[in-house]
Amino acid sequence: MGCFFSSDAKKDEDDEIQISKDKEIVFVLGGPGSGKGTQCDLIVEKYGFGHFSAGDLLRAEVASGSDLGKELESIMKEGKLVPSSVTIRLLKKAIAGFDGNKVLVDGFPRALDQATEFEEKVLPAKMVLFFDCPENVLQKRLLKRAKTSGRADDNI
């Protein structure tokens, strides 16, 4: 199986995806179980933002059965991190397909270099919402969520 991450075709595809400069990006960050998704749902409902979860986009790509999804599944099963360029590509495509201008990016970036790469390839973020939550609370929430979520990453 070839390495799709460095494919020239993907680079060309990325260049073709255009994002309106009117879009306002908000990074929503915090540990797993900190309430990012819950708060994003409330913001979407009240203010009409678009909500794009990096984890949900990756899981959807895996579920699609695409070649990319198969490679992502292999990477995630091995406990490795998905290259940020792939996550950014998925986020950029999703954001470009959203008609509104206010966008929540949930769970990405996880490091400053990822933020820089995102802002170079997509748009600069207007704001960051960070949910700080004690580790023992995160553990309780994840264990509770694991009972119903069906997510493989909801475990300790």
Side-chain angles (χ1 to χ4, degrees):
M1 194 177 296
C3 180
F4 66 90
F5 300 120
S6 61
S7 164
D8 289 337
K10 289 295 180 192
K11 288 180 188 172
D12 292 342
E13 181 183 307
D14 286 350
D15 293 339
E16 291 177 12
I17 298 172
Q18 298 298 314
I19 303 286
S20 168
K21 301 295 183 204
D22 294 334
K23 292 204 187 281
E24 296 180 4
I25 307 288
V26 177
F27 291 147
V28 183
L29 307 175
S34 63
K36 296 181 304 290
T38 299
Q39 295 305 315
C40 284
D41 289 346
L42 294 170
I43 293 168
V44 167
E45 185 179 319
K46 186 165 185 172
Y47 300 105
F49 277 67
H51 174 214
F52 302 101
S53 161
D56 288 350
L57 291 171
L58 290 167
R59 285 186 288 275
E61 190 65 33
V62 168
S64 78
S66 69
D67 288 342
L68 173 59
K70 290 174 186 171
E71 292 211 34
L72 291 173
E73 182 176 32
S74 174
I75 290 168
M76 292 187 287
K77 277 186 178 176
E78 292 175 18
K80 296 179 182 174
L81 293 177
V82 172
S84 60
S85 60
V86 175
T87 305
I88 291 168
R89 185 181 317 131
L90 292 172
L91 285 164
K92 185 176 182 180
K93 185 176 178 182
I95 293 166
F98 176 64
D99 289 335
N101 285 334
K102 296 181 180 186
V103 177
L104 303 169
V105 174
D106 172 356
F108 189 88
R110 291 187 175 202
L112 189 55
D113 62 323
Q114 293 176 337
T116 301
E117 183 181 359
F118 180 95
E119 291 187 335
E120 288 170 354
K121 292 181 177 179
V122 185
L123 282 176
K126 297 283 185 187
M127 182 187 315
V128 176
L129 292 177
F130 178 72
F131 296 97
D132 190 14
C133 193
E135 190 171 335
N136 64 324
V137 174
L138 295 177
Q139 287 178 342
K140 286 168 108 175
R141 289 179 179 178
L142 289 177
L143 290 172
K144 183 177 179 184
R145 185 172 77 180
K147 293 177 183 175
T148 59
S149 73
R151 288 174 45 170
D153 56 343
D154 278 348
N155 58 47
I156 295 182

